[in-house]
Amino acid sequence: YAFDVRCDHAFFCIITKISTMKIFKFLPAVVCILLLGACSTPKNITYFQDISTGTVIDPAQQLDIKVKPEDKLSILVTTQDPSLSNLFNLVTTQNRLGQTTSGTTTIGAQSSSGNGQTALYTVDRKGDIDFPVLGNLHVAGMNRYEVAELIKQRLQDEKLVKDPIVTVEFANTGISIIGEVSMPGRYEFNKDRLTIIDAIAMAGDLTINAEREDVLVMRKNDDGKQQGYRVDLTDLADLSQSPAYYLQQEDVIYVQPNDKKKRDTTASGNSAFNPSFWVSIGSLAVTVATLVITLSK
């Protein structure tokens, strides 16, 4: 019985030494692999990774800003007779370049009338405006050029004005950008077409902790319901085919934090992804192996 015990103890010592030798042999390689993995370059930070020199991007549709209920329109009718023009223009207000009120930034130019004055019409829930002399005009779903052509044509058809010049601009075209961007907030713009790339630039670009492969765009439909679109900013070819590539007024862009930023909110955080964490684990393994060798002697 004593002989069997001595044999078992000897066998245990041999196995322990062999295991310990293997640990010491492969531990440096394992630590190096972990460190190299931790120092590798992230693949989801760079925009437009699919684009090379000469690549042509063809968006699925070039979507103009269209009139929606509750929009405010600047409509200015100009004729050779100033007194006649005044019949079709509301009281004017000043629209200043770069105006900022209540955290809202205006991006764009002054009214194309040249004097910076605008006449504002509010689109009702049915998509109509009450235009002087002409009465109700249905303008929902039109871009600003189509609205201008409609008014010009009606004035000529009813022989009110011979050669009118009609200028239409959006007075409250805004989007909201929230989440992991440098300057979140609501932005007013004065462009016929605005891409999501333009919007991100307006907000000072995404932060380093932003999730670039899954950006959410919320859009309010004509029926009042919200529709969501997910876009990948690292793939421009796919992004250009999304209905959210060109934005509409009242769109909301939400840039969520990446996994690293989310883990920072927990107690352990990103400890398991820190090289020093694995170096500590390796040191602990060496200590345990040394202790096993000592006890086995």
Side-chain angles (χ1 to χ4, degrees):
Y1 176 78
F3 177 78
D4 291 340
V5 170
R6 288 194 299 272
C7 289
D8 291 342
H9 178 72
F11 178 76
F12 173 77
C13 292
I14 294 173
I15 295 299
T16 300
K17 289 183 179 180
I18 293 175
S19 301
T20 304
M21 291 174 62
K22 289 183 177 180
I23 290 175
F24 278 109
K25 181 179 180 180
F26 293 105
L27 183 59
V30 173
V31 172
C32 289
I33 292 174
L34 291 174
L35 289 175
L36 289 175
C39 297
S40 62
T41 303
K43 303 297 184 181
N44 57 351
I45 297 297
T46 307
Y47 298 128
F48 320 139
Q49 299 180 22
D50 58 319
I51 301 302
S52 58
T53 302
T55 301
V56 177
I57 298 299
D58 185 16
Q61 55 179 337
Q62 295 187 0
L63 186 61
D64 291 341
I65 300 297
K66 301 294 182 66
V67 178
K68 294 183 179 181
E70 301 182 6
D71 279 348
K72 293 185 182 300
L73 302 178
S74 162
I75 303 177
L76 187 66
V77 178
T78 305
T79 67
Q80 294 180 351
D81 184 356
S83 61
L84 182 60
S85 300
N86 292 335
L87 294 176
F88 306 103
N89 295 327
L90 297 179
V91 177
T92 58
T93 59
Q94 188 72 18
N95 183 24
R96 298 183 183 276
L97 175 66
Q99 179 181 358
T100 304
T101 58
S102 303
T104 300
T105 303
T106 301
I107 307 295
Q110 292 179 336
S111 170
S112 58
S113 61
N115 56 10
Q117 294 182 332
T118 59
L120 301 181
Y121 296 79
T122 301
V123 183
D124 63 21
R125 294 182 179 179
K126 296 180 181 179
D128 300 339
I129 58 172
D130 187 7
F131 197 80
V133 182
L134 297 180
N136 281 351
L137 298 177
H138 187 73
V139 295
M142 298 182 179
N143 60 34
R144 67 188 186 98
Y145 301 105
E146 293 169 339
V147 175
E149 183 61 30
L150 170 65
I151 295 174
K152 179 179 179 179
Q153 192 64 46
R154 286 289 303 275
L155 291 174
Q156 291 177 328
D157 291 344
E158 299 188 20
K159 302 185 184 307
L160 297 171
V161 182
K162 183 178 181 181
D163 293 312
I165 298 176
V166 182
T167 304
V168 178
E169 294 181 356
F170 288 92
N172 68 330
T173 310
I175 57 173
S176 297
I177 309 175
I178 58 177
E180 289 294 328
V181 294
S182 298
M183 297 181 295
R186 178 175 173 82
Y187 290 84
E188 300 286 340
F189 61 94
N190 196 6
K191 297 179 63 177
D192 294 317
R193 295 173 184 168
L194 184 77
T195 69
I196 188 172
I197 301 170
D198 296 327
I200 290 173
M202 288 161 54
D205 200 4
L206 275 59
T207 68
I208 194 64
N209 293 315
E211 175 56 67
R212 288 158 168 75
E213 297 177 317
D214 190 17
V215 176
L216 174 64
V217 178
M218 296 295 295
R219 176 166 298 165
K220 187 177 181 180
N221 294 329
D222 295 336
D223 57 4
K225 297 180 180 179
Q226 293 280 348
Q227 185 171 1
Y229 302 92
R230 298 280 182 176
V231 296
D232 181 359
L233 298 180
T234 66
D235 188 343
L236 184 56
D238 182 68
L239 173 64
S240 65
Q241 304 305 305
S242 170
Y245 181 68
Y246 284 99
L247 301 177
Q248 293 286 289
Q249 63 270 46
E250 303 306 322
D251 279 359
V252 177
I253 302 174
Y254 171 59
V255 183
Q256 64 178 333
N258 58 20
D259 291 340
K260 178 181 180 299
K261 183 64 177 294
K262 293 176 182 177
R263 288 192 296 265
D264 283 339
T265 62
T266 63
S268 58
N270 289 282
S271 298
F273 297 86
N274 194 323
S276 61
F277 172 81
W278 291 104
V279 171
S280 299
I281 293 296
S283 299
L284 177 62
V286 171
T287 302
V288 172
T290 304
L291 181 61
V292 170
I293 293 175
T294 302
L295 294 177
S296 63
K297 292 182 178 179

